[in-house]
Amino acid sequence: MPGHDEEILVPLGEVQRLALSGARPLPPVQMPLDEALGCVLAADVVTSEDVPPFANTAMDGYAVRAVDTAGAPVELQVVGVLGAGAASIVGVGPGEAIQIMTGAPIPAGADGVAIVERTEAIADDDGDGGGLGRVRILEPVVAGMHLRAPGSDLRAGSVAVPAGTMLSPAHIGVLASVGAGLVTVHPRPRVGVMVTGDELVELAADGSALPLAPGQIRESNRHALLATLRRDGFAAVDLGLAADTEEAVTAGLEPALGACDAVLTSGGVSKGAFDYVKVVLGKLGASAGGGVHELSVALRPAKPLVISWLPSTDGTSRLLPVFGLPGNPVSSLVSYQAIALPVLRVLAGHRPAAPPSVPAVAAAALRRQPDGKTHLIRVQVRWRADGRLGARATSGQMSHQLAGMAAANGLAIVPDGDGFAEGERLEVIVFGPIEAMTEEADV
Ligand code: AMP
Ligand code: MG
């Protein structure tokens, strides 16, 4: 065992590649369309129908023969009224028009629509009130105007949504528009969260907080990690709090292996005497042949990390990735964002990729000491008046200072060295909303 001084720090990129090695998308399932938001489509959806299915009007007005309106203003005889959903029984002959509402089919004979705003209705003048009257068309109608051709959104036989697409609300609408009520998607990975620590006090089921005894602190990682998983579109599974014993950690993990696709644990992966997560994942990973890596990542915060692959007990014997995240509240979230999330995204059907980052400039200096590690500094990223993003460190950058994380919407990637001067360009992993620019927003 190398002592603390000879500890080998593994570069973040190498750890990310290791974590992603062997990660495969979960086998596709059929899912009701309305449950599939955020899931990744596993097969092209080809439409067998034209959308729209028939020529219809884009505007309220009168269906006419364009040729009849060339000398506008002209008067035409109204021979019918068509609402959306009605099928036209009569056609439009010479000198005739049919009043037509948005979405109604274009009647036979008509080739254009005079919008209602450019017409004047003339009441029936034969006195019996039974006719539909006449209409004065004030401007010539151009053939094809205000018509929606069949297939002008999607043609029958074309790919409506390609495989690999993460379904947005608009995609859900497109799939409904082609009648795809069931879709073939990669399921949302079920990700378990187990926290460890004898010092931790949970919130009571009714939401009340018990008094803290000496040495105790409130448990927060489970809440934060479960919420993060839900935010990222995964099915979060609460595996509870395990005491700092080998038996408790083993017992806490067991149900997860049959009910989850991946597991996150927090705490117990450092060099402390009661750090049993490392011991348990080490033993289980080694005996299962899935492999285990006890790592010191060249990263601050979030240096300690265990990655293990444990066999599922759901009968498939596939290997589940298990991430032993560090217990410090900021470290666990940073480790998730930088290392676990890319793997969970692959399970969900996304292509393997490091966490995406965006260019920004340092709104104030981001200083650090050289220490062989990449620092991920919690920053608030905002739009500047010059159209660039400005990143400013939040206050409270130690790994227990969760408030400093909560005030941030990004992690500035600060490579080993002495950091960035104000105005220097850098990359930020953005994980929260960026406020729209207001006049005061120039940071
Ligand atoms: P560990 O990684 O278990 O050595 O924990 C590192 C630090 O994080 C310690 O100060 C723990 O008390 C704290 N910690 C660990 N787990 C949690 C948790 N679930 N919620 C809040 N703090 C935690
Ligand atoms: Mg602990």
Side-chain angles (χ1 to χ4, degrees):
M1 279 290 287
H4 184 72
D5 293 341
E6 315 114 64
E7 166 180 76
I8 299 162
L9 294 175
V10 188
L12 176 59
E14 216 173 286
V15 176
Q16 288 166 329
R17 277 192 293 281
L18 170 71
L20 283 166
S21 63
R24 298 277 174 278
L26 297 176
V29 295
Q30 290 245 303
M31 195 181 282
L33 178 61
D34 290 326
E35 292 171 19
L37 177 66
C39 290
V40 175
L41 204 57
D44 288 350
V45 173
V46 175
T47 174
S48 58
E49 303 170 347
D50 272 344
V51 182
F54 51 87
N56 67 93
T57 173
M59 302 290 278
D60 296 322
Y62 291 85
V64 298
R65 292 155 25 103
V67 66
D68 290 349
T69 67
V74 294
E75 281 185 23
L76 302 175
Q77 183 66 44
V78 180
V79 296
V81 180
L82 268 183
S88 127
I89 10 170
V90 285
V92 174
E96 293 178 348
I98 288 182
Q99 193 182 357
I100 190 169
M101 318 307 160
T102 304
I106 300 294
D111 59 3
V113 172
I115 63 172
V116 71
E117 294 87 342
R118 299 281 178 274
T119 65
E120 286 169 8
I122 304 163
D124 196 10
D125 53 10
D126 64 5
D128 69 0
L132 294 166
R134 296 173 67 75
V135 63
R136 184 173 298 118
I137 307 292
L138 302 177
E139 289 171 5
V141 169
V142 177
M145 203 138 89
H146 307 307
L147 298 194
R148 299 162 171 165
S152 56
D153 188 6
L154 291 167
R155 282 222 166 279
S158 68
V159 174
V161 185
T165 304
M166 184 177 129
L167 298 178
S168 70
H171 292 122
I172 299 286
V174 166
L175 291 166
S177 80
V178 302
L182 279 176
V183 286
T184 305
V185 294
H186 298 285
R188 264 178 211 92
R190 298 161 301 167
V191 186
V193 175
M194 184 184 82
V195 298
T196 65
D198 285 345
E199 74 282 28
L200 303 173
V201 175
E202 296 180 278
L203 291 169
D206 67 357
S208 61
L210 299 166
L212 297 176
Q216 293 186 323
I217 61 166
R218 299 206 184 279
E219 196 291 308
S220 62
N221 289 356
R222 192 163 52 114
H223 296 274
L225 286 168
L226 289 168
T228 304
L229 289 167
R230 286 196 293 271
R231 176 197 69 189
D232 291 343
F234 304 114
V237 180
D238 186 355
L239 301 172
L241 163 65
D244 285 324
T245 66
E246 195 171 329
E247 298 71 37
V249 170
T250 310
L253 274 174
E254 256 162 18
L257 301 180
C260 296
D261 302 303
V263 177
L264 309 177
T265 67
S266 114
V269 292
S270 303
K271 298 179 168 57
F274 308 112
D275 285 340
Y276 285 112
V277 173
K278 192 168 170 170
V279 174
V280 170
L281 291 182
K283 281 190 184 170
L284 292 178
S287 67
V292 58
H293 296 269
E294 297 174 18
L295 301 163
S296 292
V297 187
L299 186 62
R300 180 177 167 171
K303 183 181 71 166
L305 177 73
V306 178
I307 310 178
S308 180
W309 288 268
L310 300 183
S312 170
T313 54
D314 69 356
T316 60
S317 73
R318 66 206 162 102
L319 292 172
L320 311 183
V322 180
F323 294 90
L325 308 178
N328 271 305
V330 176
S331 309
S332 65
L333 293 177
V334 167
S335 204
Y336 165 86
Q337 190 78 38
I339 300 161
L341 175 57
V343 177
L344 302 182
R345 285 175 56 81
V346 171
L347 300 184
H350 296 275
R351 268 187 286 279
S357 56
V358 296
V361 291
L366 288 171
R367 287 294 170 215
R368 52 158 294 177
Q369 303 289 317
D371 60 3
K373 298 178 193 162
T374 298
H375 289 198
L376 293 178
I377 295 185
R378 277 69 79 205
V379 291
Q380 177 61 232
V381 180
R382 305 175 80 178
W383 290 108
R384 302 169 12 135
D386 64 5
R388 299 196 287 177
L389 289 170
R392 183 187 293 276
T394 60
S395 81
Q397 290 286 329
M398 293 174 72
S399 58
H400 69 288
Q401 291 177 309
L402 200 47
M405 180 76 177
N409 60 354
L411 297 171
I413 303 171
V414 186
D416 196 21
D418 55 10
F420 293 106
E422 180 180 337
E424 273 194 277
R425 195 176 169 286
L426 63 145
E427 292 283 318
V428 180
I429 299 167
V430 174
F431 57 77
I434 300 175
E435 276 176 36
M437 188 169 60
T438 62
E439 286 196 355
E440 315 83 70
D442 196 0
V443 282

